Amino acid sequence: METSKFNDQLLSFLQASPTPFHATASMSDELRKAGFVELFENDNWVIEEGGKYFVTRNASSLIAFTTPTLDVSQTGWRMIGAHTDSPCLKLKPNAHVERFGYHQLGVEVYGGVLLHTWLDRDLSIAGRVTFKDKAGAVTSRLVDFKKPIAVVPNLAIHMNRGVNDGFSVNPQEEILPILCGAENTFELHALLVEQLKKQHDGLDISHILDFELSLYDTQAPALVGLHEEYICSARLDNLLSCFVGLQSLIDSDCQRPSLLICTDHEEIGSLSACGANGPFLDDVLRRLSPNPEQFVQAIQRSMLVSADNAHALHPNYANKHDKLHAPGINKGAVIKVNANQRYATNSETASVYRDIAAEENYEVQCFVVRSDMACGSTIGPITSGEIGVPTIDIGLPTFGMHSIRELAGSQDAFGLYKVLVRFTQRDALISRPA
């Protein structure tokens, strides 16, 4: 695969994945096309040697794996981890707000949103809707309006003269999207029923029971820059890593047991049934290695590459970086290190990654947060702490993390993909004394 083709597929994936539900559905479709068999957690699993499988939980988290051998106690797993969620605005249960002649939506902030970036954007709505059908069954479907149907207008500078000296956005009062004028009839459930029937032919809906809906920016992902050096898109954190991990697993030679885990709720701490701080990965691995002794052996012969975006050195804010740990865009993936275990990288896991990257002639950078600043975290320490797997935290350098529209390098993702393909094919990882 060439860089241009890889990036075209990446842009399509980003466009098709406005929510974790849609991202999981997009990845599931790609896995089916690649010959992976879908498993369901409430069924008995029959796993065959030489098989390729995937399973989802909550329709927003996914684990895919290959089984060249059924005894992983001597081989371990080559694991790649990422997360499907991104900071956004989610509709409240009673979302309809009518005031001052407008129909608006009450929203709740999900994760660490850069709120001001949501102003003056063409917004749509997507997510999961649960309803009762005419037969009485409770079921769910995904919905995506795709077109711009909402906007949060800024306040004119004439009414806020000090705005350029710094301002804050009140999420309760000032971030409510406008849908239409109050002279128009608006009922949210009726709108959802209409849209569901448009998207899903023959759907028989009695009434809406509940929903999990998010707003998103309809501007399409794009290659930008004078020489198209950059990828500009919503949700690069962390669908960029999901896509790279997915393609790496699909294109592996399936000679070593390999596993991709993409979980929801990382942006709010990962503590959920389908988050990294929940039992999803442990449940799957124990079904694949039910013997407790062999399970521990397999984990200690495994390694997890936790892939989440990294902060590139911003030329306008260079003082926000440690000068010796200031990654550049299109200069390779970043090994993330933190002495207080906000990242799970250690010298051994970093060395394995450096060795593999060198085999691909792929540059390696390093990020350490300034000693006078707080450090973010990832699924790496959580997963490592839950199951004990040796872990490295890496990420692709990014500007504007948690903005409605983020920026990454157009060369970095394809380079990481090649390294991770080689990682899935790696025979020995970390050598231990006999």
Side-chain angles (χ1 to χ4, degrees):
M1 186 184 297
E2 297 179 350
T3 305
S4 58
K5 181 179 179 182
F6 184 89
N7 284 338
D8 286 344
Q9 293 177 356
L10 169 60
L11 296 181
S12 295
F13 172 73
L14 292 167
Q15 179 75 358
S17 306
T19 74
F21 303 114
H22 290 83
T24 300
S26 297
M27 289 189 287
S28 297
D29 288 343
E30 290 301 310
L31 289 165
R32 290 188 194 97
K33 292 175 185 176
F36 284 71
V37 176
E38 185 171 7
L39 301 172
F40 300 92
E41 290 193 276
N42 54 352
D43 289 345
N44 291 323
W45 287 7
V46 179
I47 305 297
E48 297 180 353
E49 192 170 279
K52 300 188 294 184
Y53 304 93
F54 75 96
V55 59
T56 66
R57 180 176 285 190
N58 188 49
S60 63
S61 295
L62 176 146
I63 294 176
F65 56 91
T66 62
T67 56
T69 176
L70 298 182
D71 180 9
V72 294
S73 62
Q74 300 304 307
T75 61
W77 295 94
R78 284 88 183 114
M79 302 183 189
I80 302 168
H83 64 87
T84 59
D85 61 322
S86 303
C88 65
L89 303 178
K90 291 196 170 187
L91 271 62
K92 293 180 177 180
N94 298 320
H96 183 204
V97 177
E98 185 177 347
R99 59 179 189 173
F100 305 109
Y102 297 95
H103 291 297
Q104 297 181 265
L105 294 172
V107 296
E108 189 174 10
V109 176
Y110 177 87
V113 177
L114 278 173
L115 277 176
H116 67 277
T117 66
W118 286 75
L119 302 176
D120 303 324
R121 305 297 298 187
D122 300 338
L123 303 177
S124 192
I125 298 172
R128 178 170 68 179
V129 180
T130 303
F131 56 90
K132 200 167 192 175
D133 65 22
K134 295 292 178 61
V138 176
T139 188
S140 298
R141 291 290 188 276
L142 300 189
V143 67
D144 182 1
F145 285 82
K146 295 187 177 180
K147 65 181 182 179
I149 59 173
V151 64
V152 185
N154 227 316
L155 181 63
I157 194 170
H158 312 79
M159 299 178 180
N160 189 8
R161 291 291 184 181
V163 64
N164 290 326
D165 299 324
F167 80 110
S168 60
V169 180
N170 184 309
Q172 177 66 26
E173 298 293 338
E174 299 171 352
I175 205 74
L176 284 73
I178 293 174
L179 287 167
C180 61
E183 67 275 8
N184 298 289
T185 300
F186 173 74
E187 202 282 312
L188 181 57
H189 283 196
L191 182 69
L192 292 175
V193 169
E194 179 184 0
Q195 185 64 26
L196 283 167
K197 288 183 175 180
K198 283 183 182 178
Q199 289 184 225
H200 305 277
D201 290 338
L203 203 58
D204 190 11
I205 302 172
S206 171
H207 59 280
I208 303 294
L209 295 169
D210 215 330
F211 54 77
E212 296 168 80
L213 298 172
S214 303
L215 292 158
Y216 72 93
D217 186 5
T218 58
Q219 184 175 357
L223 294 174
V224 303
L226 187 60
H227 306 290
E228 297 189 337
E229 303 105 312
Y230 311 111
I231 295 172
C232 194
S233 174
R235 302 176 299 282
L236 290 180
D237 178 16
N238 187 28
L239 294 187
L240 184 57
S241 300
C242 288
F243 181 80
V244 172
L246 177 71
Q247 295 303 317
S248 302
L249 181 67
I250 288 174
D251 293 341
S252 70
D253 63 8
C254 298
Q255 295 303 302
R256 298 288 179 270
S258 300
L259 181 145
L260 171 70
I261 176 168
C262 297
T263 48
D264 198 359
H265 300 141
E266 189 273 347
E267 298 292 356
I268 55 172
S270 292
L271 183 57
S272 69
C274 59
N277 202 14
F280 187 27
L281 178 58
D282 188 69
D283 287 348
V284 170
L285 291 176
R286 290 190 184 278
R287 294 181 81 161
L288 300 177
S289 186
N291 181 292
E293 186 81 7
Q294 292 180 344
F295 176 81
V296 174
Q297 291 173 338
I299 292 299
Q300 293 310 309
R301 289 187 169 98
S302 301
M303 180 171 151
L304 169 67
V305 176
S306 167
D308 203 345
N309 298 41
H311 299 293
L313 171 67
H314 196 308
N316 300 338
Y317 303 93
N319 63 347
K320 296 296 184 180
H321 278 265
D322 181 313
K323 292 181 181 179
L324 298 179
H325 304 90
I329 287 180
N330 285 323
K331 294 183 179 179
V334 179
I335 296 176
K336 300 193 282 188
V337 177
N338 182 258
N340 296 299
Q341 285 295 291
R342 299 294 288 171
Y343 304 130
T345 305
N346 62 37
S347 60
E348 291 186 327
T349 56
S351 296
V352 170
Y353 179 83
R354 288 180 185 277
D355 190 43
I356 297 172
E359 293 173 356
E360 281 292 336
N361 296 313
Y362 183 59
E363 292 184 82
V364 176
Q365 305 184 86
C366 191
F367 173 80
V368 180
V369 73
R370 283 178 57 109
S371 298
D372 55 0
M373 293 177 66
C375 184
S377 193
T378 70
I379 67 165
I382 295 171
T383 307
S384 181
E386 285 290 317
I387 66 172
V389 61
T391 300
I392 180 173
D393 271 295
I394 65 168
L396 294 175
T398 308
F399 289 151
M401 194 181 297
H402 290 197
S403 170
I404 198 171
R405 198 160 175 86
E406 300 163 322
L407 193 76
S410 60
Q411 302 299 312
D412 283 330
F414 184 65
L416 179 58
Y417 151 80
K418 292 192 293 183
V419 173
L420 292 183
V421 169
R422 188 176 286 262
F423 169 67
T424 66
Q425 299 169 355
R426 181 85 168 201
D427 188 8
L429 294 172
I430 300 169
S431 178
R432 302 293 186 193

